[in-house]
Amino acid sequence: MSTGQEVSSRVLTVPNVISLLRLALVPVFAVLIVAGQDVWALVVLAVSGASDWLDGVLARRLHQVSKLGQMLDPAADRLFIFVTLLGLAWRDVVPLWLVVVVVVRDVMLACTVPVLARHGYGTLNVSLVGKAATFALLYAFPLLLLAEVPGVVGQVAHVVGWAFTWWGVGLYWLAGLQYVSQTRRIAATAG
């Protein structure tokens, strides 16, 4: 994330606490989705989405952009996406191939970590495409869960949820390919 602000090594910041709380919500969501507590699962997803936005805004406004935050925020996003997809697939709300498509992309990116480390780099900055993909997926999943409600609400949520899903997956892979390309450039330049 390029904020134009100095990135600190501070650990205890307001945005980092929010990201840690969001990480703590992941198992809560998992239990709720498995137990069929859809209303509460939707509430947790909504809180997670709002806190994802809030930690970024506060990091910039309070000048608390930190190295830890730059790792925690995307990690929380990935974990929420993964657990949500698993829960929705377990409930037969989404097909298993969707889980595979998302996981394969993340495994591909995990393979770039040793290459980056070998050349003295940490995690890459999150791109605008990556942020848009995460946004789309984190909005798609609550809508797909809401699509389980019978009637017009469920029908509309189904259409909009799948639209967000397709856009999100496409952007997710586009961002992943951009990160791989960036890693290749770094390796070629440093090598």
Side-chain angles (χ1 to χ4, degrees), residues 3 9 11 41-42 51 55 57 78 81 102 109 114 146 164 180 188 190:
T3 62
S9 296
V11 172
L42 280 169
S51 67
D55 70 4
V57 169
R78 298 289 78 73
I81 287 170
V102 170
L109 289 188
L146 191 59
F164 269 110
V180 168

Side-chain angles (χ1 to χ4, degrees), residues 55-164:
D55 70 4
V57 169
L58 290 177
R60 290 182 292 279
R61 288 201 181 146
L62 299 175
H63 304 284
Q64 293 184 349
V65 176
S66 69
K67 291 177 186 176
L68 179 62
Q70 288 178 329
M71 289 187 304
L72 274 180
D73 187 53
D77 291 342
R78 298 289 78 73
L79 192 56
F80 241 111
I81 287 170
F82 179 67
V83 169
T84 303
L85 267 176
L86 282 179
L88 293 176
W90 186 80
R91 293 267 310 276
D92 290 325
V93 173
V94 299
L96 189 57
W97 65 260
L98 182 59
V99 178
V100 172
V101 166
V102 170
V103 169
V104 166
R105 183 267 196 186
D106 285 343
V107 168
M108 176 184 73
L109 289 188
C111 293
T112 68
V113 172
V115 175
L116 291 167
R118 187 171 48 246
H119 296 291
Y121 285 83
T123 57
L124 297 173
N125 288 336
V126 178
S127 70
L128 180 60
V129 174
K131 288 181 183 189
T134 300
F135 172 86
L137 290 174
L138 290 177
Y139 275 81
F141 301 146
L143 288 167
L144 292 176
L145 188 56
L146 191 59
E148 296 295 294
V149 173
V152 175
V153 170
Q155 291 170 350
V156 170
H158 179 81
V159 171
V160 176
W162 276 104
F164 269 110

